[in-house]
Amino acid sequence: KCCVWAAMRHLALVGAVAASPYALVADAGSTGTRMYLFHLADDNGTPKLDIDDVGKGPALSSFQDHPWNASATVAKQLEAAALKIPAGDHGRVSVSVYATAGMRLVEETKAAAIYQGLKEGVLASSYKFNPSKLAARTISGKEEGKFALVAANFLAKRLRVTMKTT
């Protein structure tokens, strides 16, 4: 599972860099939801990827019987992340919640209610980040496998952060 988290963190940052040097990604697994803060920093002209674990909440799938409370899966992590990101950047930060096996087992109508409760609850709170860049969905097993492949290479230091285009 660690490899999947690393891959999701890395891939999410790649898409978010253009808007903000910060991105938040939650891995909503079957046993809990762990959120990571990515920061693409400039280290004397060399891009450097900083990844910070901002905490763990309950499994998203555990809200089947009370979907209106689903925002609790990331609420504390979002508060912690807001303290680590400069206030002037808050409005540009994307937040992505990617659910895996636990949510793939949830009935489709219940899953839709959970995602609606998650988004409504987060946006109704003191949400400090870009509301148009709040995304939450269940990824397929195939996507999870691709993330694991990237993660393995990232952890083996076969991938580097670069802003060069080819």
Side-chain angles (χ1 to χ4, degrees), residues 12 17 22 59 143:
V17 168
Y22 296 93
E143 287 175 291

Side-chain angles (χ1 to χ4, degrees), residues 6-164:
M8 286 202 288
R9 291 180 280 162
H10 177 71
L11 289 177
L13 181 67
V14 170
V17 168
S20 171
Y22 296 93
L24 288 163
V25 179
D27 176 2
S30 58
T31 61
T33 301
R34 188 161 296 283
M35 184 171 276
Y36 298 92
L37 168 63
F38 298 82
H39 177 225
L40 187 61
D42 183 356
D43 186 16
N44 294 321
T46 303
K48 178 183 173 205
L49 178 62
D50 293 322
I51 303 171
D52 190 6
D53 182 340
V54 291
K56 183 178 177 183
L60 189 57
S61 58
S62 70
F63 293 94
Q64 291 181 60
D65 296 329
H66 42 93
W68 54 89
N69 289 332
S71 64
T73 197
V74 294
K76 289 181 182 176
Q77 299 95 303
L78 289 171
E79 289 175 19
L83 297 174
K84 295 175 181 240
I85 299 170
D89 286 322
H90 285 178
R92 299 184 305 141
V93 174
S94 64
V95 177
S96 302
V97 179
Y98 295 122
T100 55
M103 283 296 288
R104 287 197 291 268
L105 298 174
V106 175
E107 177 187 314
E108 192 174 326
T109 56
K110 287 186 175 188
I114 290 170
Y115 285 120
Q116 181 176 349
L118 169 70
K119 289 177 182 178
E120 288 176 359
V122 165
L123 294 174
S125 69
S126 60
Y127 187 71
K128 295 175 175 32
F129 306 109
N130 190 330
S132 70
K133 292 186 179 184
L134 171 61
R137 69 181 182 90
T138 303
I139 62 171
S140 70
K142 193 172 190 175
E143 287 175 291
E144 193 172 1
K146 289 176 185 177
F147 287 141
L149 177 65
V150 172
N153 283 288
F154 181 73
L155 294 171
K157 303 207 185 296
R158 292 187 185 122
L159 298 177
R160 290 184 299 270
V161 177
T162 180
M163 298 301 288
K164 295 179 182 177

